[in-house]
Amino acid sequence: MSDRLILITGAWTQVVGTVIAAIGETMIIQEERLELEPLGFRLVSIGNGIEATGNSLQAVGAEKLSDGSIGETYRVAGDWIQASGNVTNVIAAELQFSGQEVEGLNLDIFGDTVQSVGAGLEAYGATLSIRAYSNLLAAGNTIQSLGAALEAVGETYILKGMRELGLQITTFGSYAQAAGATIAAIALTKQYG
C-alpha cells in the first residue's frame, strides 16, 4: 500500500470512527430517557477504537510522506497523541458500560483532553504548511479539537450532577469531532489523492 493511500485510508477510517462514536453518544441520551440498558457505550468504545486505528494509519502515512518540516512533525505527533486519547476513551467507555461510571467519566475526560491536544497540534502543524488545502486541513483539525474539548466539558458536567446538560454537550462535541474529521479527510484526500 502506498504511503498516500495509508494516509488517506487513515483519515477516512477516523471519520467512520467519529460517526460511530457520535451515534453511540446519541443512543446514550435515548437510553437514559427510556431507562434502557446503556448499549451506546459499546458503540462509543467501538468508534473510538476505529478512530485510534485511523489516527495511527494517518501518523504512519504522514511520517513517511513528511518533508521533515516542523509543521509535518507537529501533525504526525498530533496523530499519535489523538490515537492515545482514543485508546483511553475505549477503556473509559468499557468502564462505564460495566457500571463503573465515575472511573469511566474521569478517564473519558482525560482521553478527550488528550484528543483535543492532538487535534490542536495537527491544526497548528497544518497552519505552518504551504501545501494546497492546508487551511482546510487546519480548519477540520481545529473543529475536531474543539469537539473533543466539548466532550470533556460535557463529561465534567455529568460528574457535577448536571447529567442531562452534560450528555447534550458531550453529544454535540462528538458530532463536531465527526464534522472536523470529515473536513480534514477531504483536505488530505485533495492534498494526496
Side-chain angles (χ1 to χ4, degrees):
M1 189 182 285
S2 77
D3 300 334
R4 289 171 183 243
L5 188 56
I6 291 170
L7 177 70
I8 293 168
T9 300
W12 287 105
T13 300
Q14 184 185 12
V15 169
V16 170
T18 59
V19 170
I20 290 170
I23 292 167
E25 295 287 357
T26 304
M27 285 176 60
I28 292 167
I29 290 175
Q30 292 301 317
E31 291 161 351
E32 291 239 342
R33 288 182 181 154
L34 301 173
E35 297 180 16
L36 300 171
E37 185 180 354
L39 298 176
F41 287 120
R42 187 52 47 90
L43 273 185
V44 171
S45 175
I46 291 167
N48 273 285
I50 293 170
E51 283 181 62
T53 302
N55 277 311
S56 298
L57 286 170
Q58 276 187 78
V60 169
E63 195 167 353
K64 291 182 178 210
L65 292 167
S66 175
D67 58 11
S69 68
I70 191 71
E72 293 292 315
T73 302
Y74 279 127
R75 283 193 45 235
V76 171
D79 278 325
W80 286 120
I81 290 168
Q82 266 201 87
S84 66
N86 287 126
V87 171
T88 303
N89 288 125
V90 168
I91 297 165
E94 290 300 321
L95 284 171
Q96 290 175 78
F97 183 74
S98 69
Q100 299 177 60
E101 184 175 35
V102 173
E103 297 87 346
L105 280 168
N106 281 315
L107 199 55
D108 229 353
I109 291 166
F110 178 73
D112 285 328
T113 303
V114 169
Q115 278 192 63
S116 181
V117 169
L121 279 174
E122 284 187 81
Y124 179 65
T127 66
L128 300 176
S129 177
I130 57 170
R131 291 183 192 207
Y133 304 103
S134 290
N135 288 341
L136 187 62
L137 181 59
N141 288 137
T142 299
I143 293 167
Q144 260 188 291
S145 179
L146 293 172
L150 276 174
E151 285 194 61
V153 168
E155 290 146 2
T156 303
Y157 273 98
I158 295 168
L159 275 176
K160 302 269 185 202
M162 294 175 265
R163 189 166 195 80
E164 190 170 332
L165 177 61
L167 287 170
Q168 290 171 357
I169 293 170
T170 300
T171 302
F172 181 80
S174 69
Y175 280 98
Q177 271 197 286
T182 303
I183 292 167
I186 290 167
L188 288 169
T189 301
K190 287 180 176 285
Q191 273 185 352
Y192 293 102

